[in-house]
Amino acid sequence: MPAPLLTRCTLLCSLLLPLSGVAAELYRYVDDKGVTVLSRQGVPPEFIGKGYEVLNDQGRVLRVIPPAPTPEEFARMQADKARASSDAQLLRLYTNLDDVDRARERKLAELDAVTGVARGNLQSVRTQQANLQSQAADHERAGRQVPEHLLAQINNLKEEQKRLQRDIARYKEARTQAEAGFAADRARLAELFGEPQKKP
């Protein structure tokens, strides 16, 4: 079939398509030159991200496909989603601001308790070390060599002191973080409940 005849047939078929009883859809999009294009063939992949409209054969808009979000918009959407999830979790945990205050007091009391135990152990270890060092000094004053097991015990107690000091520092940091976390939770819940803030 000659090319001009084929073109005429294709055009005729496209014009008759709406009359055939098949619902035809048009796709309206903007190309890279800013020109609005109407097509029955769909939207080329490179333009889908810009958004497009689907029309019926009378030109009425059936569906609007919005543009893909920019990286900034996507990041904002993700942040909003994370905030909504966090808010939902807060509302499951606490029914009012007093619940936050009670949870805060419980957590801080737990951390204060373990810190107190660690400090008591540290003081005990220091006392043991002082006693052993006194024994080592007695050996030295008597002109005797300090026994190896005594030196080993002193070194072990020094290491134990370092470990306990690290534990105390960790508990202190955990307390600071807990206070900050509960303060943030309380402030957010006050916003969600529409209640004025007050210092716990």
Side-chain angles (χ1 to χ4, degrees), residues 10-168:
T10 304
L11 179 59
L12 182 60
C13 287
S14 66
L15 292 173
L16 293 176
L17 185 59
L19 304 176
S20 67
V22 178
E25 290 185 342
L26 286 167
Y27 297 87
R28 182 163 59 195
Y29 63 93
V30 178
D31 66 13
D32 53 356
K33 296 187 174 83
V35 176
T36 299
V37 178
L38 281 173
S39 171
R40 293 191 189 280
Q41 307 303 316
V43 183
E46 63 268 27
F47 301 129
I48 289 177
K50 296 180 179 180
Y52 58 93
E53 296 174 328
V54 181
L55 293 73
N56 64 14
D57 53 3
Q58 281 83 41
R60 182 175 295 127
V61 176
L62 300 176
R63 296 188 301 281
V64 176
I65 310 302
T70 64
E72 293 78 14
E73 290 169 338
F74 183 75
R76 187 165 56 251
M77 288 164 57
Q78 292 298 101
D80 291 344
K81 184 177 178 181
R83 170 54 67 94
S85 174
S86 175
D87 288 348
Q89 184 176 2
L90 279 177
L91 293 171
R92 283 195 299 271
L93 284 172
Y94 309 113
T95 57
N96 54 55
L97 297 182
D98 289 338
D99 286 349
V100 184
D101 296 338
R102 284 189 288 270
R104 174 183 178 276
E105 292 306 317
R106 282 196 302 272
K107 184 63 177 177
L108 296 185
E110 289 173 8
L111 290 169
D112 289 343
V114 294
T115 302
V117 170
R119 283 178 174 154
N121 290 340
L122 179 60
Q123 185 56 47
S124 174
V125 169
R126 283 173 173 165
T127 300
Q128 292 177 54
Q129 181 184 337
N131 290 336
L132 292 179
Q133 285 178 330
S134 177
Q135 294 177 34
D138 289 343
H139 281 285
E140 290 175 341
R141 281 193 294 271
R144 298 188 301 270
Q145 187 173 359
V146 179
E148 288 296 327
H149 74 275
L150 192 56
L151 292 174
Q153 285 179 300
I154 291 172
N155 286 333
N156 287 341
L157 290 172
K158 287 179 179 178
E159 290 302 316
E160 181 67 6
Q161 284 186 66
K162 290 178 184 177
R163 185 188 67 77
L164 288 167
Q165 286 167 343
R166 287 194 298 270
D167 286 347
I168 292 168

